[in-house]
Amino acid sequence: MKKIASILILVLMISCAGNAQDTSKEKKTYKIVKTEAEWKKLLSPLQYTVLREAGTERPFSSEFNNNKKKGTFVCAACETPLYKSEHKYDSGSGWPSFDRAIKENVALDVDYKIGYARTELKCNTCGGHLGHSFDDGPKKTTGKRHCINGAAMKFVEDK
């Protein structure tokens, strides 16, 4: 019996030893590409940490949490329109939240940084890290919550 259990454990360990992340896929090429030095010159230290190093700002620290103005949230790095104000809602998470992005402007990726797969959201023009997508958003609309770092965005008010 011990032999069978040992063999079973060995088989399970071998089957789980494969790469958790598929590295055979080619890396996406974005329309705007800059060196790290160029990004550092263009962005504030917090924007650089969030957009280029996939960092996370502190919850409830973004000026956009309570922004109720009409307009468009654009990428802080390249100014690609990302989210419309009418799709923003208060999720209570401490980060600006949206139930959908502007079509084609936000790319989905998989992030394993904390040990399990999460849907990472990136600017589809420059590849800047925006935040993550979760399935606990408003059920009356999309059911999605795009949890976005305010430092990854700028706001352009409607005129």
Side-chain angles (χ1 to χ4, degrees), residues 62-75:
S62 174
E63 64 184 293
F64 298 134
N65 281 341
N66 298 315
N67 183 349
K68 308 258 191 260
K69 298 174 185 171
K70 293 199 183 286
T72 304
F73 293 86
V74 301
C75 178

Side-chain angles (χ1 to χ4, degrees), residues 8-73:
L8 183 59
I9 290 171
L10 181 64
V11 168
L12 283 171
M13 287 173 55
I14 291 170
S15 68
C16 293
N19 285 343
Q21 190 170 2
D22 183 5
T23 56
S24 65
K25 292 180 183 175
E26 282 186 35
K27 239 183 171 180
K28 180 173 168 55
T29 304
Y30 295 97
K31 292 175 195 162
I32 296 177
V33 178
K34 295 183 183 301
T35 66
E36 295 310 307
E38 289 171 319
W39 285 124
K40 281 185 178 181
K41 207 174 201 181
L42 177 71
L43 303 168
S44 74
L46 179 59
Q47 288 172 325
Y48 181 83
T49 298
V50 169
L51 287 159
R52 307 316 311 167
E53 297 177 331
T56 302
E57 68 190 5
R58 288 182 337 231
F60 302 101
S61 65
S62 174
E63 64 184 293
F64 298 134
N65 281 341
N66 298 315
N67 183 349
K68 308 258 191 260
K69 298 174 185 171
K70 293 199 183 286
T72 304
F73 293 86

Side-chain angles (χ1 to χ4, degrees), residues 72-85:
T72 304
F73 293 86
V74 301
C75 178
C78 69
E79 300 190 353
T80 294
L82 302 170
Y83 295 96
K84 299 297 265 172
S85 60

Side-chain angles (χ1 to χ4, degrees), residues 25-31 33 104 106-109 122-127:
K25 292 180 183 175
E26 282 186 35
K27 239 183 171 180
K28 180 173 168 55
T29 304
Y30 295 97
K31 292 175 195 162
V33 178
E104 310 292 320
V106 175
L108 305 176
D109 202 355
K122 293 182 174 183
C123 173
N124 205 23
T125 303
C126 70

